[in-house]
Amino acid sequence: MTVLTVTVSPSLVAKPFHLAFTRPVVEIDGIETETAWGTTEFTLGSGQHEIAVAFRYRGTHKAKLARARHELAVADGTERVRLTARLGARNGSSFTITEE
């Protein structure tokens, strides 16, 4: 199994707002997990995976805003994969997901 580390961060300009009023959502192969801003670890098997990151306002359960997708190929024997998802500074910006 491979450990997937996902670090989700808002822009510095909007960070106080997002820490107070929003929660990030990480979706792996269609299964979503509401997380906290910062780093979260998941376990993946080898193969192709679709990773998506979005946020929603606290108290809401359906809307996913600023959603971005990333296709991830995990080879057999890979121990750890790190992704960083950063939210853009402008209102209406989406996340940018990069693989380290």
Side-chain angles (χ1 to χ4, degrees), residues 2-55:
T2 300
V3 175
L4 171 64
T5 303
V6 181
T7 301
V8 184
S9 59
S11 69
L12 290 177
V13 174
K15 187 173 184 173
F17 173 83
H18 282 286
L19 291 177
F21 298 110
T22 68
R23 300 283 294 186
V25 176
V26 176
E27 187 178 315
I28 301 172
D29 298 329
I31 299 170
E32 70 175 50
T33 303
E34 192 171 287
T35 65
W37 295 102
T39 302
T40 305
E41 291 187 345
F42 301 90
T43 304
L44 296 177
S46 60
Q48 288 291 124
H49 300 280
E50 181 179 309
I51 313 297
V53 178
F55 76 87

Side-chain angles (χ1 to χ4, degrees), residues 77-94:
T78 303
E79 291 183 21
R80 181 174 296 272
V81 177
R82 290 180 176 87
L83 296 180
T84 300
R86 288 193 175 87
L87 184 58
R90 297 183 62 174
N91 192 18
S93 295
S94 62

Side-chain angles (χ1 to χ4, degrees), residues 47-64:
Q48 288 291 124
H49 300 280
E50 181 179 309
I51 313 297
V53 178
F55 76 87
R56 63 172 51 118
Y57 288 101
R58 291 180 187 263
T60 63
H61 300 288
K62 293 202 180 213
K64 289 185 270 189

